[in-house]
Amino acid sequence: MSSNPEQLPAIAAGSGVPRHVAVVMDGNGRWAQARFLPRPAGHRAGVDAVRRIVEACGRRGVKVLTLFAFSSENWTRPEEEVSVLMDLMLRTLEKEASRLHENNVRVRMIGDRSRFSHRLQRQIAAAEELTADNTGLTLVIAVSYGGRWDLAQAARRIAEAVQDGSLDPEQVNESLVEGMLNTADLPPTDLLIRTGGESRISNFLLWQLAYAELYFTPVLWPDFREAHLDEAFDWYAGRERRFGRTSEQLGRVSRA
Ligand code: IPE
Ligand code: IPE
Ligand code: MG
C-alpha cells in the first residue's frame, strides 16, 4: 500500500454502506430441525432469505454481495443432501435469472465448477452471460468454493506462468496473487456477516477477508431479514477502519 495517507482505502467511522458484503449463510439445517422438518426445508427457506437480502442490498447501494452457498467441504455431506442442494441451485438459477436481469443485477459464480453436472455448468454460464453487462449490484455466488482452493489454483497458475517463461518470480507480489484469485476484479470485502451463531470463517474468502469487519449473529439464515441487515450495517458504520494506522493518523486524513 502507498505510504501516502491520502490514498488510504475507505476509512473512519460512519463511512456508511459497505461496498462489498460477504455472507456465510449458515443455520438452514437447525432452522428446519427446530420445526421438525427435514433439512432440505431449511435450504428452501434459505432461498427466500437470499431473495430478500439481494433486493435489500441493491436498494442500499451495496456494489458487491458475495454469498457462500456451498463450500469445498460441503461435498462431504450425505449424498442425498448434496443432491438436494445442487438441484435447488439449478432450479433457483432457472427461475430467478431473468428477474435478476430485469433488476440490473450482474450474476457471477466463483468456485470449482468442474464438479458440477453439465446442466448446472450450462445454467451458470447462461446466467452469467445474460447479466454480464448489468450495472447494478454484482451478486457473486460462491459454490464449491474454498479459500484454500482459490489460493492453490492461483499458485498453480503462477507456477505455470513461471515455467513457460512469461513470468519472472521477481514479479510475484501481492497484487499479482490477488489478480489470480477468483475474485480478481472485485473490490476488497468490507463486511463479513455470518449467521447461525458460529464464529468461524469455514474456509470462505481467506485472502480477501484480510481487512474485513467480521459480524457474527445467532440469527439462523432463513430467519435473516432486512432489519438484521440494517443492524449489521449500523454496526459496520461504527467501526473505525484503521488498516494498521493509528486513530490520530485517520483523524488527519479525514480532515484533509
Ligand atoms: C448452511 O446451512 C447451508 C449450507 C452449508 C449449504 P447448514 O446446512 O450448514 O445449516 P446448519 O449449520 O446445519 O444449521
Ligand atoms: C459454511 O457453513 C458454508 C456455507 C454456509 C456454504 P458450514 O455449515 O458448512 O460450516 P461448518 O462446517 O459448520 O464450519
Ligand atoms: Mg452449518
Side-chain angles (χ1 to χ4, degrees):
M1 193 191 284
S2 159
S3 60
N4 177 358
E6 308 272 329
Q7 290 176 14
L8 276 172
I11 41 169
S15 57
V17 173
R19 199 152 57 123
H20 183 173
V21 179
V23 185
V24 179
M25 309 183 290
D26 196 22
N28 295 351
R30 280 163 284 163
W31 184 92
Q33 275 156 5
R35 287 163 179 74
F36 304 102
L37 295 168
R39 292 176 61 87
H43 296 313
R44 279 193 294 275
V47 175
D48 295 334
V50 168
R51 211 174 286 119
R52 286 196 298 268
I53 295 314
V54 168
E55 284 170 12
C57 281
R59 280 197 295 273
R60 279 158 186 70
V62 170
K63 295 279 174 255
V64 182
L65 173 65
T66 301
L67 300 177
F68 204 8
F70 190 88
S71 72
S72 310
E73 289 71 27
N74 289 148
W75 288 111
T76 62
R77 290 197 178 188
E79 223 177 286
E80 204 187 308
E81 181 164 348
V82 171
S83 114
V84 163
L85 284 164
M86 291 297 140
D87 196 49
L88 195 59
M89 214 109 60
L90 182 71
R91 283 163 195 275
T92 306
L93 267 177
E94 278 171 355
K95 219 167 86 187
E96 302 287 332
S98 56
R99 215 161 64 95
L100 289 166
H101 183 46
E102 281 160 22
N103 285 303
N104 199 22
V105 175
R106 185 167 67 123
V107 181
R108 248 182 72 178
M109 296 272 174
I110 58 171
D112 180 7
R113 42 181 100 174
S114 68
R115 298 186 71 171
F116 300 150
S117 69
H118 289 300
R119 192 165 164 210
L120 183 54
Q121 289 188 31
R122 275 200 306 274
Q123 192 62 45
I124 291 171
E128 286 178 332
E129 208 183 304
L130 176 72
T131 62
D133 296 327
N134 289 344
T135 54
L137 175 76
T138 296
L139 173 62
V140 182
I141 306 170
V143 196
S144 188
Y145 180 87
R148 290 175 181 167
W149 167 83
D150 202 359
L151 284 162
Q153 67 78 33
R156 187 169 53 246
R157 285 166 57 204
I158 291 168
E160 282 163 2
V162 169
Q163 194 178 39
D164 73 20
S166 60
L167 184 75
D168 188 327
E170 294 285 316
Q171 293 171 283
V172 179
N173 57 22
E174 292 182 18
S175 75
L176 184 112
V177 175
E178 198 157 278
M180 294 289 186
L181 297 172
N182 273 223
T183 50
D185 52 343
L186 303 174
T189 313
D190 298 305
L191 170 66
L192 172 86
I193 299 172
R194 181 174 183 138
T195 62
E198 313 295 351
S199 307
R200 56 182 175 243
I201 303 297
S202 299
N203 194 21
F204 194 21
L205 304 161
L206 297 180
W207 172 289
Q208 299 87 337
L209 292 179
Y211 255 107
E213 303 296 330
L214 309 179
Y215 183 85
F216 300 101
T217 168
V219 175
L220 303 174
W221 177 247
D223 289 330
F224 198 77
R225 298 281 183 281
E226 210 162 329
H228 298 118
L229 186 74
D230 284 334
E231 274 170 36
F233 283 11
D234 285 349
W235 174 86
Y236 171 83
R239 300 299 93 207
E240 182 180 63
R241 306 192 73 197
R242 292 190 284 276
F243 297 98
R245 306 198 172 225
T246 66
S247 254
E248 291 68 28
Q249 284 177 298
L250 296 185
R252 274 208 301 280
V253 175
S254 47
R255 276 196 301 275

